[in-house]
Amino acid sequence: MGDQAGGHAALAELLSGNRRFVSGQPVHGHDVTAAAAVASGDQQPYAVVLGCIDSRVPLEAIFDQTFGSICVIRTGAHVLDRAVCGSIEYVVGQLGVRLVMVLGHERCGAVGSAVDALRSGRRPGGALGYVVDRITPAVREVGADDPDAHPLAVRRHVRRTVAALRADDLLAGPVAAGEVAVVGALYDLATGEVALLPEE
Ligand SMILES: [Zn+2]
């Protein structure tokens, strides 16, 4: 299996896991036990998923994954920082993972905060301000005053995050060579379904 095929196979497995979850027939969903954790032995993850902290979007569950199968990183609205990028570089460079998925979701509170901040002109303080600042460009691109600014910005922010990862110092080469795929997707809170965002 070539590197490109590895990325495709990884994506197929992630999406089929989501279908198992949606259909109510997970293979791993019931097996959240210490025994299953111990049985996983060494980790051989095949994908890394970067998602939001939203408590309704537990990534291992919605992809029906088990111990050792995927690496998960979660920040508010999957905002990137150096630690997130370095973690993904580790998973790709050291663990040989060929697929990076950025997963946004409908009704994202962090994106909502960025929309509110632009509309009101009041930026949150503290580190939350940093998170909002990282989402703000997506809101500006779709237009903060657009009635659909929130859902549009959710999608735009996924695309921006994907683009940033494809341009990452250590990921750009493998991505250009077709060895690593970075894809964007959306989680639908109403159905549990994950849908890939089409390339633009
Ligand atoms: Zn969110």
Side-chain angles (χ1 to χ4, degrees):
M1 180 186 291
D3 289 329
Q4 187 70 43
H8 288 312
L11 183 56
E13 167 51 24
L14 264 189
L15 295 177
S16 67
N18 177 245
R19 284 194 294 274
R20 294 194 299 271
F21 166 74
V22 170
S23 70
Q25 296 178 315
V27 172
H28 302 297
H30 61 287
D31 203 11
V32 185
T33 62
V38 171
S40 66
D42 293 337
Q43 68 165 339
Q44 291 185 309
Y46 68 87
V48 54
V49 182
L50 170 61
C52 182
I53 58 167
D54 194 296
S55 62
R56 299 165 294 182
V57 194
L59 298 182
E60 287 90 343
I62 69 167
F63 288 110
D64 187 30
Q65 297 299 307
T66 189
F67 299 91
S69 66
I70 62 173
C71 292
V72 163
I73 303 170
R74 298 174 66 175
T75 62
H78 50 80
V79 159
L80 296 175
D81 64 11
R82 295 278 290 168
V84 172
C85 290
S87 300
I88 295 173
E89 289 170 1
Y90 171 80
V91 173
V92 169
Q94 303 299 314
L95 301 183
V97 163
R98 296 282 172 258
L99 177 68
V100 182
M101 177 182 280
V102 177
L103 184 68
H105 69 99
E106 307 288 0
R107 291 184 276 149
C108 180
V111 172
S113 294
V115 173
D116 291 344
L118 270 183
R119 284 178 176 171
S120 69
R122 286 193 297 276
R123 173 187 178 276
L128 175 57
Y130 172 87
V131 172
V132 164
D133 288 347
R134 303 288 293 195
I135 304 167
T136 295
V139 183
R140 286 194 195 282
E141 284 184 17
V142 301
D145 294 329
D146 190 305
D148 291 326
H150 190 182
L152 291 172
V154 164
R155 286 157 178 77
R156 174 56 48 192
H157 181 55
V158 170
R159 294 186 192 284
R160 289 182 56 89
T161 306
V162 167
L165 286 173
R166 287 176 178 168
D168 176 90
D169 281 350
L170 298 189
L171 300 179
V175 167
E179 297 166 1
V180 171
V182 183
V183 301
L186 273 187
Y187 179 71
D188 188 331
L189 288 168
T191 65
E193 290 178 4
V194 172
L196 290 178
L197 275 185
E199 296 287 329
E200 287 188 316

